[in-house]
Amino acid sequence: MQPPPTNSPTTGNNPDLAISVRSVTKRYGSLTALDSFDLEIKKGEIFALLGPNGAGKTTLIRILTTLMSPTSGEAFVYGMNSAQHGREIRSLIGVVPQENSLDRYLTARENLELHARLHSMEKKTYKRRIDELLELFGLAGRQHDFPDTFSGGMQRRLVVARALLHEPKVLFLDEPTTGLDPQSRRAVWDYIRTIAGKMTIFLTTHYLEEAEHLCERVAIMDHGRLIAMGSSAELKAKLTGGATYEIEFAEGSEHYAKILENMSCVGKFTITGRVVDVSLERWECLAEVITALNGAELRRISLRENTLEEVFISLTGEGVRE
Ligand SMILES: Nc1ncnc2c1ncn2[C@@H]1O[C@H](COP(=O)(O)OP(=O)(O)O)[C@@H](O)[C@H]1O
Ligand SMILES: [Mg+2]
């Protein structure tokens, strides 16, 4: 059955947007991998999509990178419908797929050259650019070796270099650092930071610290739906009730614990010996708490910020997926 016509325009015509996803649903047989998904990403933004295995992240990337069409709804890259303008979109984007897709019978350099030719780059231009990228990613010394002889980190760096070769306007990174050692992961992060602002970056990751450090905006999805979106600070504040303070008393912790426990702006609350942990719903509560503690013999008040990891688990549960 055809969905009813809507009033939304059929082209993504907001020039500020790099990506616009409108009510996209994708079904694989009876499984709904994406469920009326909406998303807008501005040009130049670094955006992270988080979600447990099977959440639908790769499916969304496949649709945006024109590898598959949605079952219903529309996705736009630079205002072009992904189901209709495959060729134009592919010239604008760089893709680092979840699984490395290097040609194992070509050397590192030949892999890059093939990509350049597929993008109709001029030999003079791509030769110089390949030299630069090999240097930048620490692969110059191994450029004539086959990817199978590379470590996981080197292969991943080569795939990122390849995705950047034709100077894309939008870079898609599907779990760029999964399985990398901390050094290689950092090398990829550092590079993403250096190109920040020059292009739009859409990345998926399991590493919450990665999203937290690299991205202005983070979305969390599960079961094909968006659960939450905002800056990592906003998500933390909104979804796990702000910050937790550890208050250590020299004495009288029981007495003050009772007072704190009954305050309306105190959320979660635990007492362990002389230390009372209180989570506050809003930062304005802090002044109220300080007033209530007037006269107490305090040893220490320290702030323990909720991590994005806590947000993630609180939203998606602790069960192990796929
Ligand atoms: N080609 C496919 N055929 C059938 N089911 C698929 C296919 N690709 C993905 N799925 C299923 O769709 C859901 C979303 O998968 P995916 O988009 O790969 O999630 P993620 O990248 O977040 O791990 C999962 O349940 C997965 O098993
Ligand atoms: Mg995936």
Side-chain angles (χ1 to χ4, degrees):
M1 197 174 69
Q2 280 292 103
T6 62
N7 291 329
S8 68
T10 50
T11 54
N13 49 10
N14 180 345
D16 296 335
L17 294 180
I19 289 170
S20 165
V21 176
R22 296 191 192 154
S23 203
V24 163
T25 294
K26 178 71 193 182
R27 290 197 193 90
Y28 300 110
S30 61
L31 181 113
T32 303
L34 283 176
D35 194 356
S36 304
F37 201 88
D38 290 300
L39 182 66
E40 290 190 339
I41 300 176
K42 288 212 182 73
K43 289 180 182 168
E45 191 175 339
I46 307 187
F47 180 85
L49 184 60
L50 301 178
N53 286 338
K57 305 180 295 298
T58 298
T59 298
L60 181 61
I61 287 199
R62 285 205 193 113
I63 290 171
L64 287 167
T65 57
T66 78
L67 297 179
M68 61 166 62
S69 296
T71 308
S72 64
E74 292 167 311
F76 299 91
V77 177
Y78 265 66
M80 293 178 287
N81 190 320
S82 72
Q84 289 157 11
H85 297 277
R87 189 204 294 247
E88 293 92 330
I89 291 176
R90 283 193 296 276
S91 73
L92 280 183
I93 63 174
V95 187
V96 174
Q98 189 168 347
E99 307 293 337
N100 286 341
S101 53
L102 292 162
D103 191 323
R104 54 193 303 216
Y105 299 106
L106 298 177
T107 65
R109 187 173 190 101
E110 286 165 351
N111 264 284
L112 298 177
E113 287 171 351
L114 174 65
H115 181 86
R117 287 203 298 274
L118 289 174
H119 278 86
S120 314
M121 290 175 77
E122 299 247 351
K123 188 161 189 182
K124 223 173 42 211
T125 319
Y126 74 66
K127 209 177 152 299
R128 195 180 25 119
R129 181 121 177 101
I130 289 175
D131 288 336
E132 277 169 22
L133 286 167
L134 285 167
E135 199 58 50
L136 190 66
F137 282 92
L139 295 167
R142 299 289 306 276
Q143 60 179 294
H144 300 301
D145 295 337
F146 292 99
D148 281 355
T149 67
F150 287 8
S151 69
M154 292 171 78
Q155 290 189 15
R156 211 67 187 135
R157 276 169 7 233
L158 181 57
V159 178
V160 177
R162 187 183 61 183
L164 291 165
L165 187 53
H166 56 291
E167 303 190 320
K169 290 199 167 24
V170 188
L171 180 64
F172 291 92
L173 300 154
D174 198 356
E175 298 191 24
T177 57
T178 297
L180 297 190
D181 59 53
Q183 284 84 358
S184 304
R185 204 184 306 162
R186 258 161 220 272
V188 172
W189 294 5
D190 287 346
Y191 188 71
I192 292 175
R193 276 201 204 92
T194 65
I195 54 175
K198 294 192 194 113
M199 62 185 85
T200 311
I201 301 177
F202 182 119
L203 76 94
T204 75
T205 181
H206 289 302
Y207 297 106
L208 306 169
E209 43 172 338
E210 183 164 284
E212 189 155 22
H213 292 145
L214 290 175
C215 300
E216 293 136 50
R217 227 157 41 108
V218 178
I220 299 179
M221 72 177 297
D222 200 9
H223 304 297
R225 288 171 178 269
L226 200 62
I227 310 179
M229 181 150 63
S231 70
S232 67
E234 282 167 359
L235 289 184
K236 284 192 251 177
K238 194 161 68 191
L239 298 160
T240 56
T244 301
Y245 292 85
E246 281 179 24
I247 306 171
E248 185 178 345
F249 294 86
E251 55 186 82
S253 58
E254 305 268 337
H255 168 71
Y256 286 101
K258 282 213 182 70
I259 297 176
L260 292 172
E261 198 173 5
N262 291 319
M263 291 177 65
S264 61
C265 67
V266 169
K268 258 202 272 166
F269 179 93
T270 54
I271 171 163
T272 321
R274 292 176 175 168
V275 179
V276 177
D277 281 5
V278 291
S279 23
L280 303 184
E281 307 289 342
R282 290 165 286 115
W283 61 267
E284 293 92 331
C285 300
L286 187 57
E288 272 182 59
V289 167
I290 301 285
T291 308
L293 294 177
N294 193 10
E297 281 191 61
L298 292 173
R299 277 200 183 157
R300 172 176 64 93
I301 299 185
S302 58
L303 171 67
R304 190 174 65 75
E305 278 197 79
N306 299 312
T307 63
L308 207 48
E309 180 111 13
E310 289 168 306
V311 177
F312 187 81
I313 295 290
S314 82
L315 289 170
T316 59
E318 300 198 359
V320 175
R321 307 295 175 81
E322 300 208 332

